[in-house]
Amino acid sequence: MKVYRWVGTISMIAILGISGCRQSPPPQPTPKPSAIEAKLELDNLSFEQVDNQGKLLWKVRAQHGVYTPDRKRANVTKLVGDLYQDGKIIMHITANTGEVEQAGEKVILRGDVVTKEIRNQLVLSGQEVEWQPKLDLLTIRNRVQANQPKFQVNANEGKYLSRKQQLDLTGKITATSTTPQLAIQTEHLTWLVKDRQIIGDRPTQIQRYRSNRITDRATANSFSSALDRQIINLQRQVQLNATDPLIQVNGESFSWDLQRELVTADRPLKIVHDREGVTFTADAGQLDLNGSIATLTGNATGIATRNQAQLRSDRLIWQIASQQLVGTGNVVYQQTAPTLKFTGTRGVGKLQDQSIVISSDGKRRVQTDFIPQ
């Protein structure tokens, strides 16, 4: 059996539509019965709800409240309280105003509501918060903010599942991280607070900063990240734009290790270096942004857009700063002026000036084909 306790100091009872005893006036036409509305005003109000086992579900204290018995609801001001789970406090709350149902099904708080989730150093704030203890659900609306020491999110609405310790955010979302320094924009975000993971299943933009300057930009249709490990997994129509080196990388599946400055693709990718006029494609690859090296595997192909020189191999290492290439395994080099084709087991050089040296491993000779115009 649930128990609801309402305690306070009565300051005024207002009952409308009830008349007391006095000398009878001259007979008057009998009026229609009027509606009776009773309101009980209380100062220093406190109330709580317990479950069938007598464990607290919530406990609230307010400076002032107005209780309407027929509606079984209290409107309160200057509210502070605690939300419980399994008999233990999990959240502290403060609000300017609030509304509490006597049945205990929900507590609605309004006006600069701040909720502190004590297990995870998580602070949730908004202009309206609704707590439904049966569902272990806290809903935050209107100018929602969720903050931890190194990660903050703004959104239109948030739903915190207290037992799962999971926060689902929707609307126009902006998230920022301090270590590493990131800004994330999307429209739906799931934050696994206890596990320190974030998951997005909508188009997302991510900016990487150094000394308040954007160094890298990424877009994807979905992503996930382990905040402690500083790794972002980008999925579906991924594009990464780096400034040092100045390249663009496109693909379907990237793992971006922010601490090690590594981008790893386990599916086909494309790298474009507009300034040098070269494009590379492969079935998979790894990009070392710090060392300015790309290692491509599986049908690795480099093309110089100005002269259409092309090098294809099983494995290709591209030194981005010097533009030096090393291709190994089933190497094929082609150029158009003059039109030539070389095949071997190793190719070294630069595509831009057609200075590629093809060699073999001794098991077979380098083959040269002259292609007539």
Side-chain angles (χ1 to χ4, degrees):
M1 176 179 178
K2 293 184 177 179
V3 179
Y4 312 99
R5 303 188 182 98
W6 306 73
V7 181
T9 303
I10 301 175
S11 61
M12 178 180 70
I13 300 177
I15 302 178
L16 305 178
I18 298 178
S19 55
C21 297
R22 59 179 178 176
Q23 187 175 0
S24 299
Q28 298 290 334
T30 303
K32 294 181 180 180
S34 62
I36 297 177
E37 182 179 352
K39 291 184 179 180
L40 182 64
E41 293 196 22
L42 302 170
D43 293 320
N44 302 316
L45 179 68
S46 66
F47 39 95
E48 60 190 38
Q49 180 193 1
V50 298
D51 62 15
N52 294 332
Q53 287 74 42
K55 293 181 179 179
L56 278 167
L57 292 175
W58 50 261
K59 186 175 182 179
V60 172
R61 300 167 297 282
Q63 189 178 90
H64 183 76
V66 177
Y67 174 54
T68 308
D70 61 332
R71 297 181 183 176
K72 296 182 179 181
R73 188 172 59 202
N75 293 303
V76 297
T77 58
K78 301 298 181 184
L79 177 146
V80 296
D82 300 313
L83 307 181
Y84 291 73
Q85 189 170 281
D86 301 327
K88 297 180 180 179
I89 297 175
I90 58 169
M91 286 180 271
H92 297 299
I93 54 172
T94 61
N96 291 337
T97 62
E99 181 180 295
V100 183
E101 292 184 354
Q102 187 176 7
E105 299 296 330
K106 61 184 176 182
V107 179
I108 300 174
L109 311 173
R110 295 186 178 90
D112 297 328
V113 186
V114 177
T115 304
K116 296 181 180 179
E117 209 274 27
I118 61 178
R119 295 169 297 184
N120 297 293
Q121 292 184 290
L122 176 66
V123 179
L124 303 168
S125 60
Q127 293 305 300
E128 180 177 296
V129 168
E130 180 179 316
W131 170 240
Q132 296 173 271
K134 280 187 175 181
L135 301 177
D136 295 314
L137 175 62
L138 187 80
T139 303
I140 314 103
R141 303 182 183 94
N142 193 359
R143 302 206 300 272
V144 175
Q145 291 186 340
N147 300 293
Q148 268 191 339
K150 294 183 180 180
F151 189 68
Q152 300 81 40
V153 185
N154 294 333
N156 296 118
E157 182 172 297
K159 292 182 181 294
Y160 186 63
L161 301 170
S162 62
R163 194 166 295 278
K164 290 184 178 180
Q165 300 179 49
Q166 173 180 314
L167 179 61
D168 292 315
L169 298 153
T170 56
K172 186 178 180 181
I173 297 172
T174 301
T176 57
S177 169
T178 56
T179 308
Q181 193 176 1
L182 296 173
I184 302 170
Q185 293 87 37
T186 188
E187 293 184 349
H188 182 253
L189 191 68
T190 298
W191 184 359
L192 305 177
V193 181
K194 182 180 179 181
D195 298 330
R196 293 193 55 76
Q197 293 183 8
I198 54 173
I199 301 169
D201 59 0
R202 307 285 172 82
T204 301
Q205 297 181 2
I206 302 174
Q207 291 88 38
R208 169 84 178 275
Y209 291 81
R210 289 186 183 276
S211 301
N212 297 318
R213 182 178 64 87
I214 296 176
T215 59
D216 310 284
R217 287 187 174 92
T219 60
N221 284 345
S222 62
F223 82 101
S224 63
S225 177
L227 296 173
D228 288 338
R229 295 176 56 203
Q230 299 188 31
I231 294 175
I232 302 176
N233 296 308
L234 303 162
Q235 304 289 332
R236 299 166 46 220
Q237 297 185 15
V238 184
Q239 179 174 297
L240 173 67
N241 291 278
T243 58
D244 187 17
L246 186 61
I247 58 173
Q248 182 183 101
V249 190
N250 296 274
E252 287 296 310
S253 178
F254 291 173
S255 175
W256 185 9
D257 189 324
L258 299 165
Q259 190 171 28
R260 298 172 61 197
E261 297 286 355
L262 289 177
V263 177
T264 303
D266 58 3
R267 294 172 63 183
L269 75 156
K270 178 180 179 181
I271 306 175
V272 179
H273 195 322
D274 279 333
R275 187 175 63 189
E276 293 293 338
V278 289
T279 299
F280 292 86
T281 59
D283 294 338
Q286 186 176 82
L287 177 63
D288 182 348
L289 294 172
N290 189 44
S292 192
I293 299 173
T295 302
L296 306 173
T297 57
N299 297 309
T301 304
I303 299 174
T305 55
R306 287 190 289 269
N307 58 26
Q308 295 302 303
Q310 180 183 126
L311 180 69
R312 185 171 68 253
S313 61
D314 294 337
R315 177 183 171 88
L316 185 62
I317 297 175
W318 174 33
Q319 301 278 352
I320 302 174
S322 65
Q323 292 296 303
Q324 186 79 1
L325 300 178
V326 177
T328 55
N330 297 308
V331 174
V332 178
Y333 170 71
Q334 292 179 268
Q335 66 178 47
T336 57
T339 305
L340 298 171
K341 179 180 178 181
F342 298 93
T343 59
T345 58
R346 180 179 173 86
V348 179
K350 293 176 65 174
L351 287 173
Q352 292 90 326
D353 54 11
Q354 299 180 342
S355 59
I356 301 292
V357 177
I358 305 298
S359 59
S360 71
D361 56 7
K363 296 180 181 179
R364 60 177 180 174
R365 296 179 179 180
V366 175
Q367 180 177 325
T368 305
D369 294 322
F370 295 90
I371 304 172
Q373 297 291 332

